[in-house]
Amino acid sequence: MLLYLITFILCFLVDYSNNNLLKKIYTVWLYVFLCFGYTVGSDWRNYELSYSLGFHGLQQEYQLSVLYNIITSIFYKSGICYWLYTGIFKCLFLYSVISTIRIFTNRVFSAIAFALPSILLFMLIDCPFRFMMGLMFLLFAFRYLVYGRMKLSIILIFFGALTHFAVGIMGVLMLILFLIKNIISQMSSLLLLMLLLTSTVLSMSLTTFSNLADVLIAVLPVLESRAMTYYAVEATDGWLTLGTIMNLFLFCVLLSARSYLLKIPYGNYLFSGAVLQKVLFPLLLIIPTGFRFNMLFSILSTIAIASICFTSANLTTVKYKYRPIVLCIMLLFNVYSYCGSIYNHFVYLPYTNSIPHLLVGDSDENYNERSRRG
């Protein structure tokens, strides 16, 4: 637990340091700590055991993840052990997140601190590995989309969809963001607030989502067997939570800081993506693991809030004077979420690291072999 808390706190301290060597050392620590967890998380046993199945065996296990199956079989045949394989792609994912942050702000570590409780713990420690790999492709695709390289962006979206089917849907949402970013940026605050309230009301009814699921199954029957089972709609009264209250609060913060966000390079992507995340949030609450579809926009929302809280710009208008209050609320909420995630889920504790095992060469055994050995 102490390692998690120290990592979180140091993000803010290092971000305001002028020592470049310290920043480089801490960056290395983030990669070591977040990307090389050993036997932590909820899915590692299944992924480790399936690592040696080969392409055809993986195809039977993960029918919709052709590219993942190809990549995994190549790494296994190359003699690379499972924990080094996952560590490499976790590093690539973290690099894709940092690269996305750098598009909009130089407060990289503060944005990482805000992303730790809701995004990075889940993606890198709990680690839904196929989804993480697909999202890595999508983040690189987003970078190329922002910089105007549409063809390369679409290719990477396609790679992401072949890694995890949900990333294909997220890729479509990303292209929609590209088309409507200027429209959202210019919408009145009242209209945007009405959109959020409408999505909250719709989230109280399962009919809309059940009908949507029926349409998707009719168009793509392959979804019925596995994908729609995994993302099936379920009844829940969880739309009125601390999370939804914070969602409304941060939505108002985004609207109040719109003029600042739109002055940031590519700020129309940042503001519009953050707004879409807040609007989609209540709709996706009633879908098990539906928050995954919102992950790209969640990263953009985190960057936007961190930019507002930690900008060095001289914001002197009355509404910006409330920024210290927003920062305090965000810090308290993040600490609460961070500690809650670690303590309330078995997947994060005890933390162990794979690097010592990789160095001494005892990381080649899989879960069953270690269990038999005791």
Side-chain angles (χ1 to χ4, degrees):
M1 179 63 186
L2 188 60
L3 286 176
Y4 289 105
L5 289 176
I6 291 174
T7 301
F8 178 74
I9 294 169
L10 283 179
C11 279
F12 301 108
L13 300 179
V14 172
D15 212 7
Y16 280 88
S17 170
N18 294 322
N19 190 324
N20 290 328
L21 177 60
L22 177 62
K23 291 184 177 182
K24 290 178 181 178
I25 293 173
Y26 186 67
T27 300
V28 171
W29 165 252
L30 286 175
Y31 278 97
V32 170
F33 177 66
L34 293 174
C35 301
F36 289 93
Y38 183 70
T39 66
V40 287
S42 55
D43 291 339
W44 66 268
R45 293 175 184 83
N46 292 331
Y47 282 119
E48 186 190 31
L49 292 173
S50 66
Y51 183 57
S52 60
L53 291 178
F55 175 74
H56 296 292
L58 288 166
Q59 272 296 107
Q60 294 179 356
E61 192 77 16
Y62 308 115
Q63 297 175 8
L64 301 178
S65 303
V66 179
L67 184 58
Y68 168 80
N69 299 336
I70 293 173
I71 292 173
T72 301
S73 59
I74 290 174
F75 269 78
Y76 176 72
K77 289 181 179 179
S78 299
I80 296 174
C81 78
Y82 169 77
W83 294 104
L84 180 57
Y85 164 59
T86 56
I88 290 170
F89 277 94
K90 286 181 181 182
C91 287
L92 288 172
F93 174 78
L94 182 56
Y95 175 77
S96 71
V97 172
I98 292 174
S99 297
T100 304
I101 295 171
R102 289 190 188 278
I103 295 173
F104 305 105
T105 180
N106 59 355
R107 293 297 183 193
V108 174
F109 297 111
S110 295
I112 287 175
F114 277 9
L116 273 171
S118 58
I119 298 170
L120 295 181
L121 275 187
F122 172 68
M123 296 302 298
L124 292 172
I125 303 295
D126 192 359
C127 193
F129 188 63
R130 284 182 302 125
F131 179 71
M132 183 209 71
M133 187 185 294
L135 183 56
M136 175 199 72
F137 285 117
L138 191 67
L139 287 172
F140 285 127
F142 176 75
R143 182 180 178 84
Y144 286 117
L145 181 68
V146 168
Y147 291 147
R149 303 182 66 178
M150 176 63 77
K151 291 182 180 179
L152 188 53
S153 178
I154 290 176
I155 291 172
L156 288 170
I157 291 172
F158 183 64
F159 285 170
L162 290 178
T163 304
H164 195 288
F165 88 97
V167 176
I169 299 174
M170 294 166 63
V172 173
L173 292 174
M174 188 178 81
L175 293 176
I176 292 174
L177 170 65
F178 171 76
L179 295 173
I180 67 173
K181 61 184 184 299
N182 292 327
I183 297 174
I184 294 177
S185 298
Q186 296 169 11
M187 272 188 187
S188 69
S189 296
L190 179 59
L191 184 55
L192 290 174
L193 185 59
M194 288 177 62
L195 282 175
L196 177 63
L197 295 177
T198 300
S199 71
T200 303
V201 172
L202 286 175
S203 70
M204 301 177 198
S205 172
L206 299 181
T207 304
T208 302
F209 293 91
S210 297
N211 292 340
L212 177 60
D214 292 339
V215 171
L216 289 174
I217 290 172
V219 175
L220 296 170
V222 70
L223 295 179
E224 184 172 15
S225 61
R226 299 185 69 167
M228 292 311 295
T229 300
Y230 191 54
Y231 290 98
V233 176
E234 69 175 17
T236 178
D237 57 359
W239 62 271
L240 185 58
T241 64
L242 177 60
T244 56
I245 294 171
M246 280 297 297
N247 189 64
L248 178 59
F249 169 72
L250 293 177
F251 185 80
C252 294
V253 171
L254 290 170
L255 293 183
S256 69
R258 185 205 305 234
S259 59
Y260 162 71
L261 291 174
L262 292 178
K263 291 177 183 176
I264 295 175
Y266 311 107
N268 51 353
Y269 283 97
L270 187 62
F271 175 76
S272 301
V275 165
L276 283 176
Q277 188 269 330
K278 302 306 176 191
V279 171
L280 290 173
F281 178 82
L283 293 174
L284 296 175
L285 272 181
I286 65 172
I287 305 176
T289 68
F291 66 92
R292 295 189 184 194
F293 293 114
N294 219 6
M295 193 62 72
L296 171 64
F297 297 153
S298 295
I299 293 172
L300 295 180
S301 177
T302 299
I303 297 170
I305 297 300
S307 298
I308 295 168
C309 290
F310 298 104
T311 179
S312 57
N314 184 21
L315 305 180
T316 57
T317 59
V318 173
K319 60 186 175 183
Y320 292 131
K321 292 180 180 179
Y322 294 102
R323 193 171 49 154
I325 299 176
V326 174
L327 176 58
C328 289
I329 293 174
M330 279 301 299
L331 288 175
L332 289 173
F333 180 72
N334 275 280
V335 170
Y336 171 80
S337 301
Y338 196 53
C339 295
S341 296
I342 294 168
Y343 274 120
N344 295 331
H345 299 85
F346 67 93
V347 297
Y348 299 117
L349 294 174
Y351 175 85
T352 51
N353 194 275
S354 65
I355 290 180
H357 298 274
L358 292 170
L359 292 176
V360 299
D362 67 349
S363 59
D364 291 333
E365 294 181 333
N366 64 33
Y367 174 70
N368 287 339
E369 291 168 340
R370 289 192 299 271
S371 298
R372 287 193 296 268
R373 182 168 53 85

